[in-house]
Amino acid sequence: MADRELKEIYEHIISDPYVLKIYEQVNEKMRFVIDHGLLHVRAVLEYIERICDIIQCGDKTRYLSLIAGALHDVGRLRDRDTHALLSAEFAREFLRGKIDQQDIETIAYAIRHHERESFDYTTDNDVAWILIFADKMDYTRSRYIPALMNEKYKTKYSYAVHSIGLDRKDDTAYVNISLYEDFPNFSEIFQKNTGIYKRALGHFGFSKVEINISLLADDNSENK
């Protein structure tokens, strides 16, 4: 299938009323303080675009990854614990007849295994690597839903994160994490995420990955 057609299908998905309605209902049903609806999905899609720029992948991998990102959490409307499996099943049905079956399976595999517990770190499925990387980069304060907040959530490490960026220079990749405030032992607590960042970037050929953690300047520390 031509890359242009994959792009058109992706653009259709992210404006499809049915898909949008599912994500609007996810937060209403879950009542979980950290957004798993449209805010999260759109952030993941932005991360996918950035990752694809950094690894300099082809358009086909980019749009397969974006399609996977757009559908990766639809299953949360039915069940939180099995949402990856349900989302993969949804993707297979939703995409049937629209794109090649092999591409559907590439997408479904990535969605099915986008959680740490089920990810195969030996896989050569680039879409799967991109999706788990992007999904685990969306750990910032902006995902916290104000109406559901209480003081206990302010002790979570992700609440301290302002932004996570990604850059490269030659064969070195840089993950830049900006914090609103100092968080005791942040590096150790964040190891599960940074481990995924390093393994994903290693998969894409970077010989060195640097994780830089900095404190946001006081004059930019909004929403404290």
Side-chain angles (χ1 to χ4, degrees), residues 38-49:
L38 288 172
L39 179 68
H40 169 59
V41 171
R42 287 168 178 159
V44 167
L45 296 177
E46 290 181 7
Y47 279 122
I48 289 173
E49 292 276 22

Side-chain angles (χ1 to χ4, degrees), residues 109-128:
Y109 179 92
I111 293 173
R112 174 67 182 89
H113 298 286
H114 76 271
E115 294 297 310
R116 294 189 189 94
E117 296 79 8
S118 64
F119 193 76
D120 176 8
Y121 291 93
T122 67
T123 184
D124 60 359
N125 184 328
D126 288 348
V127 174

Side-chain angles (χ1 to χ4, degrees), residues 23 40-41 44-45 47-49 51-52 55 61-62 64-73 83-84 87-88 106-115 119 125-138 196-197 200 204:
Y23 281 123
H40 169 59
V41 171
V44 167
L45 296 177
Y47 279 122
I48 289 173
E49 292 276 22
I51 291 166
C52 288
I55 67 175
T61 297
R62 180 187 295 268
L64 291 179
S65 300
L66 287 167
I67 291 170
L71 299 175
H72 81 282
D73 266 352
H83 79 277
S87 298
T106 296
I107 291 167
Y109 179 92
I111 293 173
R112 174 67 182 89
H113 298 286
H114 76 271
E115 294 297 310
F119 193 76
N125 184 328
D126 288 348
V127 174
W129 278 105
I130 291 169
L131 179 58
I132 193 171
F133 188 5
D135 189 46
K136 302 315 176 224
M137 286 188 78
D138 190 30
I196 288 175
Y197 304 162
F204 289 112

Side-chain angles (χ1 to χ4, degrees), residues 16-174:
D16 186 286
Y18 181 49
V19 175
L20 294 176
K21 186 64 175 178
I22 289 173
Y23 281 123
E24 287 171 359
Q25 292 176 332
V26 164
N27 286 333
E28 295 174 12
K29 178 180 180 180
M30 290 180 62
R31 300 293 294 170
F32 188 48
V33 70
I34 298 177
D35 184 280
H36 287 83
L38 288 172
L39 179 68
H40 169 59
V41 171
R42 287 168 178 159
V44 167
L45 296 177
E46 290 181 7
Y47 279 122
I48 289 173
E49 292 276 22
R50 183 59 181 157
I51 291 166
C52 288
D53 288 343
I54 290 291
I55 67 175
Q56 300 175 346
C57 68
D59 282 347
K60 180 172 183 178
T61 297
R62 180 187 295 268
Y63 288 113
L64 291 179
S65 300
L66 287 167
I67 291 170
L71 299 175
H72 81 282
D73 266 352
V74 290
R76 283 187 177 273
L77 186 60
R78 290 175 56 192
D79 183 70
R80 175 181 173 181
D81 293 335
T82 61
H83 79 277
L85 174 61
L86 295 171
S87 298
E89 292 174 349
F90 179 96
R92 283 195 181 96
E93 184 63 28
F94 189 83
L95 296 170
R96 183 173 293 127
K98 296 183 177 73
I99 65 176
D100 296 338
Q101 189 61 38
Q102 184 175 350
D103 291 339
I104 291 175
E105 291 307 316
T106 296
I107 291 167
Y109 179 92
I111 293 173
R112 174 67 182 89
H113 298 286
H114 76 271
E115 294 297 310
R116 294 189 189 94
E117 296 79 8
S118 64
F119 193 76
D120 176 8
Y121 291 93
T122 67
T123 184
D124 60 359
N125 184 328
D126 288 348
V127 174
W129 278 105
I130 291 169
L131 179 58
I132 193 171
F133 188 5
D135 189 46
K136 302 315 176 224
M137 286 188 78
D138 190 30
Y139 275 80
T140 66
R141 184 179 295 187
S142 62
R143 283 183 68 186
Y144 284 75
I145 300 172
L148 300 178
M149 277 293 296
N150 60 49
E151 287 300 313
K152 72 176 181 180
Y153 292 115
K154 294 184 179 181
T155 64
K156 289 183 173 290
Y157 66 84
S158 54
Y159 188 76
V161 179
H162 171 262
S163 61
I164 303 176
L166 183 63
D167 288 298
R168 73 172 291 169
K169 183 177 181 181
D170 301 324
D171 62 350
T172 300
Y174 301 88

